[in-house]
Each structure stands twice: as structure tokens, then as C-alpha cells.
Amino acid sequence: MSNSSLPSSGAYLPGATVKYVIETLLTRIVTQEYASEERLPSERQLAQDLGVARNTVREALDQLEARGMIRRRAGSGSFVTYDPDGEASATSPVAADVGPLQLQVMRGIIEPEMMRLAVINMTPRQIEALSVVLSKMEAVQADATAFVRLEEEFHRLIAEGTGNPLLLACYNLVLDARRQAFRTAMYRRHLTPARIAIYQRGYNGLFNAIAARDIEEASEFMKLSLIEDQRILLQED
Amino acid sequence: MSNSSLPSSGAYLPGATVKYVIETLLTRIVTQEYASEERLPSERQLAQDLGVARNTVREALDQLEARGMIRRRAGSGSFVTYDPDGEASATSPVAADVGPLQLQVMRGIIEPEMMRLAVINMTPRQIEALSVVLSKMEAVQADATAFVRLEEEFHRLIAEGTGNPLLLACYNLVLDARRQAFRTAMYRRHLTPARIAIYQRGYNGLFNAIAARDIEEASEFMKLSLIEDQRILLQED
DNA sequence: CTGTATTTTTGGATTGAACCAATTTCGGCA
DNA sequence: TGCCGAAATTGGTTCAATCCAAAAATACAG
């Protein structure tokens, strides 16, 4: 069946299809569009809805299952196991022992250089992925949990953009610790809508700087983001 | 054996096909039928030989890669990374994908600050532990493998000395990658006795600077050590 | 109304066939 | 000999179609 015609909306998208599915589902989970313990649509249904093959959906679900976000039962369905309020989600053991100040110290070491490397090395496709996350962030500003989760993804994409797997691995530890820290902070209601708006402005500026390949500007915005986190995590106000 | 293509009918074995492939390849690896660093047959070849689809072979290779038994490079092939003689080093999976340059970049980011924090925060007891490792290093200068391992311990103690568990966790990843890189370097016999002597002098100076709480001096020696590693790891031949 | 048998749905596994992108190989030209 | 570009090789990704087995939904007999 040598069929090279791409039927309408792409029947063979280049590279990032699985990632797209993961992102989509992850967003729906953290925004509780698919609530905890709820059943998600069947694989066949998701495939059709998202316009991809079931294989691709499966691959995405495999990874979500590995991350402990869902659980699957043959013949029954896939269910959300991620609990945004619950403290049980899979953080690496080390994350629990990290104090907010230690976290900020480490971020201060790694983030400035990471930002520089990312601005230099990010591909157009990666920048595009960044903008997708950014717009999702704008859509969920009312939900602090979802916002922080997307924020984390934003940072992770930057780390990926450096093209340095070692840096990415290290930064994943940093993000684990940050998630842990923010859980406490949010519990104390320090992440208000007003603050989220401030964050959003910062990330918009950061993205523009990246897209313009402006190293100094990007580095500056990164520092601001770091300082803003510091306000919340170290409760200096 | 299927001469041409396995046509209709029988070609669908229930259940344990992937497991069978994994078992087969695992056996061939540990028996050194596929020796360490050796390239295994292409996925298409394996699929044909084992009478399964390439997808199935891929799934099996995915898992072997996750277990750190093999490493894959697009366009090049899959290579055995498992070394039956090698130390039980439990290298994290990420370490295999880190190039020497990427390693040095990451070290350049983290080590200078780490050194400063360590000089400030190390307890006398930790400094004592450092001196113990240092003297062990002098005793094993003839054995490059042992020397590198102690060197690693020396670095780890410094990371511990910062008192920052997050930094330590990140630096452990760095050390994993460094160990991997040095394995290759030693295989190429770049770590000569003369070089080891140079290292030893560097570490002695570094220790004295730490003991004297001289931040700038320590930072300087740290840089020298980094540059020396660079000579070995980035050497082209 | 109940309990069982049948059908349908759902995840799981495998095949086969593209197409893409990074590498390597190789042939030919200077 | 040395270099460069085309061609072949190789892993990476996605799609489509089956078949299987566990669960759930439904139909039906009692």
C-alpha cells in the first residue's frame, strides 16, 4: 500500500508525536480534567481523538504508567493514580532531605549557565515546544498546582535544550526537590493568583528572549524567576 | 527457518516473544558471544535471524538499554556496554550517553562553586577524611584503576563537605559519568604514571588549600584538576 | 429477579511497512 | 593520495492491522 499522500492533517508527523500525547494527557491529569481515580478514555478512543495511531497512545501511556501517573487493567481501562493533593507522588528519595535554601543555592549554580547553553543550542522545534507549554500555563493560571507542574515542564525543556544529558539528569534532581519544596509552600498559601501572574509575565519575557537568542536578556529573566521563587520558598515577605 | 518472508498463518506466537529475545541476547552477552564494546547485529538482521519482527527486537533492545547492557547510536549500531570483568559499578543509565565534552562542561559549572561551599562548610572531621583518602592515593599511584577510584572518593568527599544533599546527589551523577569516561580513557592508555604523578601533586595542593580555608587557592587547584582531566578525556587520537 | 452464557469492550502483544535522521561506506575526481 | 559527495546502512518513530486475554455489559433462560 504505497500511499505517500498525507491525508489532510498529517498522517505522519515528523518527530514529537509521543511527546505531544504525553504532554496533552499530563495536562489533562494535573488540571483534573481527568480526576484522580477516574477512568480515561480507551486507547482506541484517545487515538482517534488525538489523531494518532493506537501504538503511539500506548507508548505515551507506557511512560505515564512508568511515572506512576496512571494504572492499567486489561479489559477494564486506564485509571488516574496521580493525586495532586496527596504527598505520595514519586519524588526521588533525596528530594525530601533538601531544604529550600540548599535548593536555591543549587539553582543559583546551575541555572545561569544552563540558560546560556540552552539559548545557544535549542532547536526551533524545542523552542516551539516551549511556546506550547507557555500557552498552557496561561490557560491554567487559576490552578496553582497545574501551573507549577507546567512551570516545571518549562524548566525541563530548557534543560533539554542544552543538549547535555548530564546537565538534564542533574536538573531533574533539582526539579524534584523544587516540587517537594513547593508542595509545602502551596500548602501555606504563598502561591497566590497575583504571584502567578507575576510568574507568567516573567516566563513570557524569558521565552521572548530565548526565541530572540538573547543570552543576556534570557539570563536576566532566569535570575528574576529564581528570585521570585526565593520569595515564596524562603518566605521573605 | 523462514527462507523468504514468514507468510500468512502461523506467524503469531502468543505471549512471550519479547522475553525470548531478551533472554537470547542476554545469554549471548554474558557468554561474551557478543563481547564488551562489540557491535551486535543490526536490528533488521536480528529480527530475521530470530524469526521475529523488528519491532519486537526493538522492544527487547529498549529493555536491555534500560538495564545498561547495551548502548545504541543512530546510524551506527548497538554496542555491548556490559563488562563481565568490570567493577560492579552500577553506573546510572544516563552516564553512558554523556560525551567527554558534555561532562567537562557540567563540571565547569558545578565544581568551582562546589569548591567554595566546601571550603567554607567542611568540618575538621571531613577534612581529616580527605587527608586519609589522599594518603591512600599516594600508595596506589602504580594502579591507575585504583587511583581513579580514590580520586572519585576525594571529589565525593568535597561534595559532601558542602553540606548540600542536592548538590551531592547531582555531583554523584557527574562522578558516574566521569567514571564511564575514564574507563574509555584508560582503555586507550591515556592515564600514564607520569600523568598520575601530576594529578597527585594537584590534589596535595588542593588539600592544603582546603585545610587552610583558602577559597581562592582551592578554587585555583580545582580548575587545574579539571583542565588536567580535560587533557586526558578530550585528547584526540 | 437471578444467575449464567454470550457478546462487546478494553488493554496487551506482535507483525509488517513505511519514512526519517544520523553514520558509515565507497566511488570518483583532483 | 586526499577529499568530497552520493549511496547504503542503521537506529528512531509512526502508522495500520491482527490476534489474544481479561473484564464488563448484555441477553437470555429459569
Side-chain angles (χ1 to χ4, degrees), chain B residues 22-55:
Chain B
I22 291 180
E23 272 312 309
T24 303
L25 296 180
L26 217 41
T27 303
R28 293 185 184 176
I29 289 175
V30 296
T31 64
Q32 313 221 29
E33 185 174 335
Y34 302 145
S36 192
E37 294 301 314
E38 190 180 320
R39 207 190 107 179
L40 17 121
S42 76
E43 296 178 350
R44 291 167 176 86
Q45 189 62 51
L46 281 173
Q48 194 177 331
D49 291 353
L50 301 177
V52 299
R54 178 155 86 108
N55 267 339

Short mmCIF file of all heavy atoms in Angstrom, two decimals, chain B residues 22-55:
data_model
loop_
_atom_site.label_atom_id
_atom_site.label_comp_id
_atom_site.label_asym_id
_atom_site.label_seq_id
_atom_site.Cartn_x
_atom_site.Cartn_y
_atom_site.Cartn_z
N ILE B 22 14.93 -11.15 24.63
CA ILE B 22 15.79 -10.62 25.69
C ILE B 22 16.67 -11.73 26.26
O ILE B 22 17.89 -11.57 26.40
CB ILE B 22 14.93 -10.01 26.83
CG1 ILE B 22 14.24 -8.74 26.33
CG2 ILE B 22 15.80 -9.69 28.04
CD1 ILE B 22 13.39 -8.07 27.38
N GLU B 23 16.05 -12.85 26.58
CA GLU B 23 16.81 -13.97 27.14
C GLU B 23 17.94 -14.37 26.21
O GLU B 23 19.09 -14.53 26.63
CB GLU B 23 15.87 -15.16 27.38
CG GLU B 23 15.19 -15.15 28.73
CD GLU B 23 16.17 -14.90 29.87
OE1 GLU B 23 17.19 -15.61 29.92
OE2 GLU B 23 15.92 -13.98 30.67
N THR B 24 17.61 -14.51 24.94
CA THR B 24 18.60 -14.92 23.95
C THR B 24 19.78 -13.96 23.91
O THR B 24 20.94 -14.37 24.02
CB THR B 24 17.96 -15.00 22.56
OG1 THR B 24 16.84 -15.89 22.61
CG2 THR B 24 18.96 -15.50 21.53
N LEU B 25 19.47 -12.69 23.78
CA LEU B 25 20.54 -11.70 23.65
C LEU B 25 21.34 -11.60 24.94
O LEU B 25 22.57 -11.50 24.92
CB LEU B 25 19.94 -10.34 23.28
CG LEU B 25 19.25 -10.30 21.92
CD1 LEU B 25 18.70 -8.91 21.63
CD2 LEU B 25 20.21 -10.72 20.81
N LEU B 26 20.64 -11.64 26.07
CA LEU B 26 21.31 -11.56 27.36
C LEU B 26 22.32 -12.69 27.49
O LEU B 26 23.47 -12.48 27.92
CB LEU B 26 20.26 -11.65 28.48
CG LEU B 26 20.47 -10.81 29.73
CD1 LEU B 26 20.99 -9.42 29.37
CD2 LEU B 26 19.18 -10.71 30.50
N THR B 27 21.91 -13.89 27.11
CA THR B 27 22.81 -15.03 27.17
C THR B 27 24.03 -14.79 26.30
O THR B 27 25.17 -15.00 26.73
CB THR B 27 22.08 -16.30 26.70
OG1 THR B 27 20.93 -16.50 27.50
CG2 THR B 27 23.01 -17.50 26.80
N ARG B 28 23.79 -14.34 25.10
CA ARG B 28 24.92 -14.12 24.19
C ARG B 28 25.86 -13.05 24.72
O ARG B 28 27.05 -13.07 24.44
CB ARG B 28 24.39 -13.70 22.81
CG ARG B 28 23.63 -14.82 22.11
CD ARG B 28 23.23 -14.44 20.71
NE ARG B 28 22.43 -15.50 20.09
CZ ARG B 28 21.87 -15.40 18.90
NH1 ARG B 28 22.01 -14.30 18.18
NH2 ARG B 28 21.17 -16.40 18.41
N ILE B 29 25.33 -12.10 25.48
CA ILE B 29 26.18 -11.04 26.01
C ILE B 29 27.02 -11.55 27.17
O ILE B 29 28.24 -11.37 27.19
CB ILE B 29 25.34 -9.83 26.46
CG1 ILE B 29 24.76 -9.10 25.22
CG2 ILE B 29 26.18 -8.85 27.27
CD1 ILE B 29 23.82 -7.98 25.56
N VAL B 30 26.38 -12.22 28.12
CA VAL B 30 27.13 -12.65 29.31
C VAL B 30 28.11 -13.77 28.96
O VAL B 30 29.13 -13.92 29.62
CB VAL B 30 26.19 -13.11 30.45
CG1 VAL B 30 25.35 -11.96 30.93
CG2 VAL B 30 25.34 -14.27 30.03
N THR B 31 27.82 -14.53 27.92
CA THR B 31 28.77 -15.56 27.50
C THR B 31 29.82 -14.98 26.56
O THR B 31 30.62 -15.71 25.99
CB THR B 31 28.06 -16.71 26.77
OG1 THR B 31 27.46 -16.21 25.57
CG2 THR B 31 27.01 -17.35 27.64
N GLN B 32 29.74 -13.68 26.37
CA GLN B 32 30.71 -12.97 25.53
C GLN B 32 30.67 -13.40 24.07
O GLN B 32 31.62 -13.18 23.33
CB GLN B 32 32.12 -13.13 26.08
CG GLN B 32 32.17 -12.88 27.57
CD GLN B 32 33.39 -12.08 27.99
OE1 GLN B 32 33.92 -11.27 27.23
NE2 GLN B 32 33.84 -12.30 29.20
N GLU B 33 29.59 -14.07 23.68
CA GLU B 33 29.42 -14.30 22.25
C GLU B 33 29.38 -12.95 21.54
O GLU B 33 29.89 -12.78 20.45
CB GLU B 33 28.13 -15.10 21.99
CG GLU B 33 27.94 -15.49 20.54
CD GLU B 33 26.71 -16.38 20.38
OE1 GLU B 33 26.33 -17.05 21.37
OE2 GLU B 33 26.15 -16.41 19.29
N TYR B 34 28.70 -12.01 22.23
CA TYR B 34 28.86 -10.60 21.87
C TYR B 34 29.71 -9.99 22.96
O TYR B 34 29.23 -9.74 24.05
CB TYR B 34 27.51 -9.89 21.80
CG TYR B 34 26.52 -10.47 20.82
CD1 TYR B 34 25.16 -10.46 21.11
CD2 TYR B 34 26.93 -11.01 19.61
CE1 TYR B 34 24.24 -10.99 20.22
CE2 TYR B 34 26.02 -11.53 18.72
CZ TYR B 34 24.68 -11.53 19.03
OH TYR B 34 23.76 -12.05 18.15
N ALA B 35 30.98 -9.72 22.67
CA ALA B 35 31.88 -9.25 23.71
C ALA B 35 31.63 -7.78 24.03
O ALA B 35 30.88 -7.10 23.35
CB ALA B 35 33.33 -9.45 23.26
N SER B 36 32.28 -7.31 25.10
CA SER B 36 32.12 -5.93 25.52
C SER B 36 32.64 -4.99 24.44
O SER B 36 33.65 -5.25 23.81
CB SER B 36 32.89 -5.71 26.83
OG SER B 36 32.54 -4.49 27.40
N GLU B 37 31.90 -3.91 24.26
CA GLU B 37 32.25 -2.89 23.27
C GLU B 37 32.00 -3.34 21.84
O GLU B 37 32.11 -2.57 20.90
CB GLU B 37 33.70 -2.43 23.41
CG GLU B 37 33.97 -1.69 24.70
CD GLU B 37 33.10 -0.45 24.85
OE1 GLU B 37 32.98 0.31 23.89
OE2 GLU B 37 32.51 -0.28 25.94
N GLU B 38 31.67 -4.63 21.69
CA GLU B 38 31.45 -5.14 20.34
C GLU B 38 30.09 -4.69 19.83
O GLU B 38 29.17 -4.45 20.60
CB GLU B 38 31.54 -6.66 20.35
CG GLU B 38 31.55 -7.29 18.95
CD GLU B 38 31.63 -8.82 19.05
OE1 GLU B 38 32.36 -9.30 19.92
OE2 GLU B 38 30.94 -9.49 18.26
N ARG B 39 29.98 -4.63 18.51
CA ARG B 39 28.72 -4.24 17.90
C ARG B 39 27.87 -5.47 17.68
O ARG B 39 28.36 -6.49 17.20
CB ARG B 39 28.99 -3.57 16.55
CG ARG B 39 27.90 -2.60 16.17
CD ARG B 39 28.06 -2.14 14.75
NE ARG B 39 27.05 -2.75 13.91
CZ ARG B 39 26.94 -2.52 12.62
NH1 ARG B 39 27.81 -1.72 12.03
NH2 ARG B 39 26.00 -3.08 11.93
N LEU B 40 26.59 -5.36 18.05
CA LEU B 40 25.77 -6.52 17.73
C LEU B 40 25.13 -6.37 16.37
O LEU B 40 25.18 -5.29 15.77
CB LEU B 40 24.71 -6.83 18.79
CG LEU B 40 24.26 -5.91 19.86
CD1 LEU B 40 22.77 -5.70 19.73
CD2 LEU B 40 24.51 -6.58 21.19
N PRO B 41 24.57 -7.46 15.86
CA PRO B 41 23.97 -7.40 14.53
C PRO B 41 22.91 -6.31 14.47
O PRO B 41 22.37 -5.91 15.50
CB PRO B 41 23.34 -8.80 14.37
CG PRO B 41 24.09 -9.67 15.30
CD PRO B 41 24.49 -8.81 16.45
N SER B 42 22.64 -5.84 13.28
CA SER B 42 21.64 -4.79 13.14
C SER B 42 20.27 -5.32 13.55
O SER B 42 20.03 -6.53 13.55
CB SER B 42 21.60 -4.30 11.71
OG SER B 42 20.92 -5.23 10.89
N GLU B 43 19.38 -4.41 13.89
CA GLU B 43 18.05 -4.81 14.32
C GLU B 43 17.37 -5.64 13.25
O GLU B 43 16.73 -6.66 13.54
CB GLU B 43 17.21 -3.57 14.62
CG GLU B 43 17.76 -2.76 15.78
CD GLU B 43 16.93 -1.51 16.01
OE1 GLU B 43 16.06 -1.20 15.17
OE2 GLU B 43 17.15 -0.84 17.04
N ARG B 44 17.53 -5.23 12.02
CA ARG B 44 16.88 -5.97 10.92
C ARG B 44 17.44 -7.38 10.81
O ARG B 44 16.72 -8.35 10.56
CB ARG B 44 17.07 -5.20 9.62
CG ARG B 44 16.28 -3.90 9.57
CD ARG B 44 16.74 -3.02 8.42
NE ARG B 44 15.95 -1.80 8.26
CZ ARG B 44 16.17 -0.67 8.91
NH1 ARG B 44 17.16 -0.59 9.77
NH2 ARG B 44 15.41 0.39 8.70
N GLN B 45 18.75 -7.48 11.00
CA GLN B 45 19.40 -8.79 10.93
C GLN B 45 18.91 -9.69 12.05
O GLN B 45 18.52 -10.84 11.82
CB GLN B 45 20.92 -8.60 11.03
CG GLN B 45 21.72 -9.87 10.76
CD GLN B 45 21.49 -10.38 9.33
OE1 GLN B 45 21.61 -9.62 8.38
NE2 GLN B 45 21.13 -11.66 9.20
N LEU B 46 18.92 -9.15 13.28
CA LEU B 46 18.46 -9.92 14.43
C LEU B 46 17.03 -10.38 14.23
O LEU B 46 16.69 -11.54 14.52
CB LEU B 46 18.56 -9.07 15.71
CG LEU B 46 19.95 -8.95 16.34
CD1 LEU B 46 19.92 -7.96 17.49
CD2 LEU B 46 20.45 -10.30 16.81
N ALA B 47 16.21 -9.50 13.74
CA ALA B 47 14.80 -9.84 13.53
C ALA B 47 14.69 -11.06 12.62
O ALA B 47 13.97 -12.02 12.90
CB ALA B 47 14.05 -8.66 12.94
N GLN B 48 15.44 -11.02 11.54
CA GLN B 48 15.37 -12.13 10.60
C GLN B 48 15.92 -13.41 11.23
O GLN B 48 15.30 -14.47 11.17
CB GLN B 48 16.15 -11.79 9.33
CG GLN B 48 15.85 -12.73 8.18
CD GLN B 48 16.57 -12.33 6.90
OE1 GLN B 48 16.85 -11.14 6.70
NE2 GLN B 48 16.87 -13.29 6.06
N ASP B 49 17.08 -13.30 11.88
CA ASP B 49 17.71 -14.46 12.49
C ASP B 49 16.80 -15.11 13.53
O ASP B 49 16.68 -16.33 13.59
CB ASP B 49 19.03 -14.07 13.16
CG ASP B 49 20.08 -13.70 12.13
OD1 ASP B 49 19.81 -13.87 10.92
OD2 ASP B 49 21.16 -13.22 12.53
N LEU B 50 16.19 -14.29 14.37
CA LEU B 50 15.38 -14.83 15.45
C LEU B 50 13.95 -15.12 15.00
O LEU B 50 13.14 -15.64 15.77
CB LEU B 50 15.36 -13.87 16.64
CG LEU B 50 16.76 -13.56 17.22
CD1 LEU B 50 16.65 -12.55 18.34
CD2 LEU B 50 17.43 -14.83 17.70
N GLY B 51 13.65 -14.74 13.77
CA GLY B 51 12.32 -15.04 13.25
C GLY B 51 11.21 -14.22 13.89
O GLY B 51 10.10 -14.69 14.09
N VAL B 52 11.54 -12.96 14.24
CA VAL B 52 10.52 -12.08 14.81
C VAL B 52 10.56 -10.75 14.06
O VAL B 52 11.44 -10.52 13.23
CB VAL B 52 10.77 -11.84 16.31
CG1 VAL B 52 10.69 -13.13 17.09
CG2 VAL B 52 12.11 -11.15 16.52
N ALA B 53 9.60 -9.91 14.37
CA ALA B 53 9.55 -8.61 13.71
C ALA B 53 10.57 -7.66 14.31
O ALA B 53 11.00 -7.83 15.45
CB ALA B 53 8.16 -8.01 13.84
N ARG B 54 10.96 -6.67 13.54
CA ARG B 54 11.94 -5.72 14.06
C ARG B 54 11.40 -5.01 15.28
O ARG B 54 12.14 -4.73 16.23
CB ARG B 54 12.35 -4.68 13.00
CG ARG B 54 13.33 -3.66 13.56
CD ARG B 54 14.22 -2.99 12.54
NE ARG B 54 13.63 -1.85 11.91
CZ ARG B 54 14.01 -0.58 12.14
NH1 ARG B 54 14.96 -0.33 13.01
NH2 ARG B 54 13.44 0.40 11.52
N ASN B 55 10.12 -4.69 15.26
CA ASN B 55 9.50 -4.07 16.43
C ASN B 55 9.79 -4.84 17.70
O ASN B 55 10.09 -4.26 18.74
CB ASN B 55 8.00 -3.97 16.23
CG ASN B 55 7.61 -2.64 15.64
OD1 ASN B 55 8.36 -1.68 15.73
ND2 ASN B 55 6.46 -2.59 15.03
#
